[in-house]
Amino acid sequence: MFQGASSISLDAKGRLSIPTRHRDVLLKNGGQLTITRHPHGCLMVFPRDEWTVFSARVAQLPISAQWHKRLFLGNAMDVEMDATGRILVSPELRAAAHITKDAMLMGMGSHFELWDKATYEEKEAEALQQETPEALKDFAF
């Protein structure tokens, strides 16, 4: 289970270093990952085995969700971690999420979200200003 936020920087070639606390788990699967777009404007980074489960669920969506199928499946790119724990994020995916250099890698359980840092901070501030979602009203903290 991946959790926690990491402030990271992409190098000039679009590579990012996976935080060391996550590398061992990812290397157990051969360091094979899949990156795709998320409708909220970030990227999702899946270990390959989790991508297989997610993509199978997406493939079963009805025709009314065809654009979401295109978003998830049509933009998916397989990558591998190199010996130093870096992955290459394609120019197309970086552009789609407006990621240039500074980014946030968020552990989301079975996968990660990769955000442009400024965009993430803006959206987080907006979310904190909103009323508590109905689903959380009876949630005990």
Side-chain angles (χ1 to χ4, degrees):
M1 179 168 179
F2 304 110
Q3 61 187 28
S6 300
S7 182
I8 58 175
S9 294
L10 278 71
D11 68 15
K13 295 181 181 178
R15 295 175 298 198
L16 68 89
S17 291
I18 298 293
T20 52
R21 69 178 186 262
H22 300 304
R23 285 184 198 166
D24 289 340
V25 173
L26 294 172
L27 286 171
K28 286 180 183 176
N29 290 325
Q32 297 180 327
L33 306 167
T34 300
I35 307 173
T36 194
R37 291 181 64 182
H38 187 290
H40 292 163
C42 65
L43 301 177
M44 294 186 297
V45 182
F46 288 89
R48 193 68 46 81
D49 58 344
E50 292 293 338
W51 170 251
T52 301
V53 172
F54 179 81
S55 63
R57 289 177 52 210
V58 170
Q60 298 301 314
L61 291 172
I63 194 73
S64 61
Q66 192 67 21
W67 275 107
H68 279 83
K69 287 171 77 170
R70 288 183 185 107
L71 189 71
F72 295 126
L73 302 178
N75 287 285
M77 294 196 175
D78 294 335
V79 299
E80 289 191 31
M81 281 191 343
D82 67 14
T84 61
R86 295 177 306 183
I87 59 171
L88 177 66
V89 182
S90 73
E92 296 86 359
L93 288 173
R94 290 193 317 265
H98 307 288
I99 298 171
T100 53
K101 182 176 169 79
D102 295 326
M104 293 294 294
L105 187 69
M106 310 292 296
M108 299 297 291
S110 64
H111 66 283
F112 299 94
E113 288 183 351
L114 180 62
W115 287 87
D116 167 71
K117 188 171 185 171
T119 302
Y120 177 80
E121 289 172 349
E122 178 184 313
K123 290 192 180 271
E124 179 182 61
E126 288 173 12
L128 291 172
Q129 295 300 316
Q130 293 177 359
E131 186 176 327
T132 302
E134 193 64 36
L136 293 178
K137 297 252 177 172
D138 295 325
F139 195 79
F141 292 94

